[in-house]
Amino acid sequence: MDQLKQTVDREAVLNLLQAPNKPPEELLLNYKGILYPGAVCSKELFEALETFEARNDDLLICSSPKCGTNWVFQILSEMVSILKNKETVLDQLTLEFGNLQLFESNKARPSPRIFSTHLRFPTIPKSFFEKNTKILLVIRNPKDAATSYYRFHKSLPALPTYDSWDLFFKDYMHGNVCYGSYFDYVAEWNKHIDGDNVMAITFEEMKTDLLAQLKTISEFYRLPLTEEQLCEVERRTSFASMKQKSEGTHGKLSEAFFRKGQVGDWKNLFTEEQSKEMDEKFQQKLAGTKLGDLLNYEKYCKF
Ligand code: A3P
């Protein structure tokens, strides 16, 4: 298999491209009060996840939607591949996507397994914490995350269609979208961020100095890469390089997952009023918290 091997658990995720011809409310699964994409998530899988057995050497990426999950997955996958002297990249396993068959086959996968998830903190399988699995939390400024999420809804038929940005913005602010409120997501994580096995990184820091972040990530996971190897990972995970490979790694989903990869695109979409509304929400929920500070809101979220 070559470098362009499919890396996403494609069977599950490809369902997002199907247009199921259902009214918007039926596209979503409501499980214990949180909405999920019904095309890829199921109640049975959520129930099975309660007994999921994590391993100490799993690598778990947690993020709210559109904050850079696929980017960080590629980074970890490249790091592991380089250390193992392999040209192939590992499969990206999204904890909450797929069916019971995929769930069962994931149990038998050899280590290290790289999982990603958008599950909210209380729903992450307990075993990750019992096994002291290292967790990388990826966060991004909420204005760009909302912008990216809106565009994502436009490219995936299995997600509800919005006739306008204004309508999406309202739902985003009320947490009326898949995985619920961005602000609650980050606030929940903020209570657990001091654990030894958790490290938070931001999309913006990775954009500013990817190599420095790669060093931090490799130290956190104790992946002993040389300077030269880290430079190789940097080259392979630039936006241009990932976009160019994306037909191979993400197939028909490539356009949806690799759009602009920029910081500040929200300025093309938000009105002054919407920007202020989000500023107030940030102030209420995250200002002065550890993760709120890490987001550097003043720098990235002001006109
Ligand atoms: P945009 O829609 O703003 O372009 P996720 O993987 O969590 O779904 O996040 C998707 C976002 O990450 C998209 O943002 C995508 O373009 C961006 N992205 C993916 N790979 C990237 C890379 N190597 N560098 C910068 N941004 C990247």
Side-chain angles (χ1 to χ4, degrees):
M1 285 272 207
D2 64 18
Q3 190 79 42
L4 294 186
K5 175 181 169 290
Q6 183 69 44
T7 60
V8 177
D9 35 4
R10 180 185 248 191
E11 224 179 287
V13 184
L14 271 183
N15 285 343
L16 287 168
L17 287 168
Q18 309 298 325
N21 203 13
K22 286 183 183 168
E25 60 282 5
E26 284 179 30
L27 294 174
L28 303 176
L29 164 75
N30 186 330
Y31 185 71
K32 298 190 177 173
I34 303 274
L35 298 173
Y36 298 93
V40 286
C41 298
S42 67
K43 186 171 171 281
E44 295 68 38
L45 183 58
F46 284 125
E47 283 164 0
L49 279 174
E50 286 173 21
T51 59
F52 178 82
E53 287 186 24
R55 297 181 198 149
N56 176 261
D57 62 1
D58 286 334
L59 293 84
L60 178 63
I61 304 165
C62 292
S63 65
S64 183
K66 313 317 293 172
C67 291
T69 321
N70 285 270
W71 189 6
V72 174
F73 166 77
Q74 192 69 26
I75 288 170
L76 293 181
S77 165
E78 296 287 0
M79 286 181 169
V80 170
S81 296
I82 287 177
L83 283 176
K84 286 183 169 276
N85 270 327
K86 289 207 172 144
E87 267 309 292
T88 50
V89 281
L90 303 178
D91 286 329
Q92 178 168 359
L93 310 169
T94 307
L95 272 182
E96 66 273 20
F97 287 1
N99 51 29
L100 290 180
Q101 209 184 337
L102 183 66
F103 177 78
E104 286 302 318
S105 69
N106 285 345
K107 281 187 185 171
R109 279 178 189 267
S111 292
R113 301 175 300 184
I114 307 180
F115 289 104
S116 63
T117 185
H118 297 316
L119 289 175
R120 299 277 292 267
F121 185 88
T123 8
I124 295 172
K126 304 260 171 305
S127 141
F128 282 108
F129 304 104
E130 288 157 5
K131 291 281 162 59
N132 295 320
T133 306
K134 285 189 182 282
I135 302 177
L136 199 49
L137 173 70
V138 188
I139 55 175
R140 183 182 192 182
N141 82 68
K143 292 185 180 173
D144 277 331
T147 302
S148 180
Y149 212 5
Y150 172 60
R151 303 290 187 206
F152 195 62
H153 278 71
K154 287 208 162 294
S155 40
L156 294 182
L159 294 178
T161 308
Y162 284 90
D163 288 338
S164 71
W165 156 247
D166 291 353
L167 289 174
F168 180 81
F169 179 77
K170 274 201 187 87
D171 273 356
Y172 193 82
M173 293 303 286
H174 288 108
N176 221 354
V177 289
C178 289
Y179 299 98
S181 157
Y182 166 98
F183 296 93
D184 289 346
Y185 181 95
V186 180
E188 278 164 11
W189 259 111
N190 194 64
K191 296 183 200 144
H192 304 277
I193 201 61
D194 290 323
D196 286 344
N197 300 312
V198 181
M199 186 176 78
I201 51 170
T202 70
F203 184 100
E204 291 75 18
E205 284 174 314
M206 292 200 294
K207 282 296 286 186
T208 307
D209 187 349
L210 183 55
L211 190 57
Q213 295 308 310
L214 296 181
K215 280 186 190 154
T216 313
I217 294 170
S218 67
E219 279 162 19
F220 174 66
Y221 276 112
R222 298 205 183 92
L223 297 170
L225 291 144
T226 62
E227 187 78 21
E228 201 182 315
Q229 288 170 327
L230 287 169
C231 289
E232 180 59 20
V233 177
E234 181 190 27
R235 198 185 57 72
R236 292 188 192 179
T237 58
S238 69
F239 182 72
S241 164
M242 284 187 63
K243 192 168 173 70
Q244 196 220 334
K245 288 182 292 204
S246 64
E247 286 238 348
T249 56
H250 288 68
K252 290 183 180 153
L253 292 157
S254 60
E255 286 294 311
F257 280 101
F258 301 92
R259 197 180 60 90
K260 287 190 172 178
Q262 293 170 359
V263 176
D265 190 36
W266 64 270
K267 292 178 188 167
N268 298 315
L269 209 49
F270 276 65
T271 62
E272 285 274 356
E273 208 174 86
Q274 289 166 338
S275 178
K276 280 197 186 122
E277 191 180 329
M278 196 171 268
D279 295 350
E280 276 162 28
K281 181 75 110 186
F282 182 85
Q283 202 57 34
Q284 260 171 32
K285 297 267 193 176
L286 296 173
T289 67
K290 196 163 180 178
L291 290 178
D293 289 349
L294 192 65
L295 280 168
N296 211 340
Y297 193 87
E298 288 299 309
K299 177 166 178 187
Y300 295 114
C301 290
K302 292 292 161 85
F303 272 114

